[in-house]
Amino acid sequence: MPSRPTNTPERSPAQSGAKPLLEVSDLRVSYGAVTAIHGVSLSVAAGEVVALLGANGAGKSTMLRTISGLSRPRSGRISLGGEAIHRLPPARIVRLGIAHCPEGRRVFGSLSVAENLRLGAAARAERSGMAEDRERIYAMFPILRERMTQSAGTLSGGEQQMLALGRALMARPKVLLLDEPSLGLAPLLVQQIFRTLAELKAQGVTMLLVEQNINLALALADRAYVLRTGEVSLAGSAAELQADYEKVAAAYLGARP
């Protein structure tokens, strides 16, 4: 995947002064007596791709689950377009424009590919254009058209990831949350998924991406945050972080650069 020239870096919407579309302020999330997120703040502007990096257990998936309403914050605020969403049920958050593509794909295995895609659009307030959106997904992932009547549980891991992404896009989200889209996939499939994400970025799709592959994530993203044990240990533009990989690795692992 081509990266941006370092001598003429593009300015992301956030760097150009755009107001955040998604904003998380001083978020704290606990599981019983264990605090998973310690006062994290982050933002994503419309049309921006922001990566959330960190080792296993850093709190990345918890952050996405809390934004989508699957986990409840102990304190803090999450807003979408200026409207607070952190106390809303997940179905309402989906209708407002947050689509979550979870780790491990989690397709409905007993349903067909076509039925999974229809479910992705179930919460849409605007029902028109569903057929066109489904055709767009099939054009993006031609193998899904070939498998449209096949049970999703019989698909390969890569095909299930394509379906999970397609299902999320059927909601026409304002913000797409992606949790480890490359997890468990062969290298060629990983490259295909990230080419698709780059195409979505070019179309203006706003994304918050959790990804273990630092190089792929930073090549796609405009900005990134590095989490360590539930706190932001480093943040900056993707170009800056790419240029100082040792600093990223130190923040990632908790060592001093």
Side-chain angles (χ1 to χ4, degrees):
M1 181 184 301
S3 59
R4 294 189 295 270
T6 56
N7 58 337
T8 56
E10 297 177 4
R11 292 173 62 83
S12 74
Q15 292 168 327
S16 300
K19 291 184 178 180
L21 174 59
L22 174 68
E23 189 164 22
V24 176
S25 303
D26 197 23
L27 194 71
R28 298 176 188 275
V29 183
S30 299
Y31 296 111
V34 178
T35 301
I37 300 291
H38 302 263
V40 168
S41 297
L42 60 83
S43 64
V44 186
E48 189 177 36
V49 177
V50 172
L52 199 55
L53 309 175
N56 289 337
K60 308 182 301 299
S61 294
T62 296
M63 177 63 69
L64 297 195
R65 287 178 56 83
T66 307
I67 292 170
S68 62
L70 298 175
S71 295
R72 289 294 181 193
R74 192 179 75 201
S75 62
R77 174 185 167 92
I78 304 171
S79 61
L80 180 67
E83 179 180 352
I85 63 171
H86 56 282
R87 298 299 182 191
L88 300 179
R92 176 64 177 154
I93 292 173
V94 172
R95 285 195 293 273
L96 288 173
I98 299 283
H100 188 176
C101 189
E103 180 182 355
R105 292 156 310 256
R106 300 186 188 179
V107 297
F108 296 99
S110 62
L111 301 182
S112 71
V113 166
E115 288 168 334
N116 269 269
L117 292 178
R118 280 199 295 272
L119 281 176
R124 278 170 51 164
E126 177 56 60
R127 310 301 292 175
S128 64
M130 287 176 56
E132 290 85 350
D133 287 347
R134 187 169 58 249
E135 284 302 310
R136 185 166 65 95
I137 301 303
Y138 287 148
M140 191 180 301
F141 301 119
I143 191 64
L144 295 184
R145 185 190 301 276
E146 297 177 23
R147 305 276 197 268
M148 64 166 56
T149 61
Q150 188 171 321
S151 296
T154 65
L155 301 178
S156 70
E159 291 165 352
Q160 288 188 5
Q161 184 62 66
M162 295 173 195
L163 178 57
L165 178 55
R167 183 182 62 192
L169 290 171
M170 284 294 293
R172 286 189 177 178
K174 295 177 183 176
V175 181
L176 179 60
L177 308 180
L178 295 160
D179 197 350
E180 302 285 8
S182 73
L183 184 67
L185 300 185
L188 286 177
L189 287 172
V190 171
Q191 293 298 325
Q192 181 180 355
I193 291 294
F194 270 81
R195 280 195 300 270
T196 300
L197 296 181
E199 292 168 5
L200 293 173
K201 176 182 178 180
Q203 295 167 17
V205 176
T206 305
M207 291 178 263
L208 179 58
L209 168 70
V210 166
E211 176 55 49
Q212 287 284 345
N213 189 315
I214 298 174
N215 291 324
L216 283 176
L218 292 179
L220 178 69
D222 297 296
R223 294 185 299 114
Y225 296 85
V226 181
L227 290 186
R228 178 174 174 265
T229 59
E231 298 179 280
V232 175
S233 59
L234 183 66
S237 74
E240 291 168 345
L241 298 184
Q242 280 180 310
D244 197 350
Y245 190 85
E246 289 186 4
K247 188 174 182 180
V248 175
Y252 196 101
L253 299 172
R256 292 186 177 181

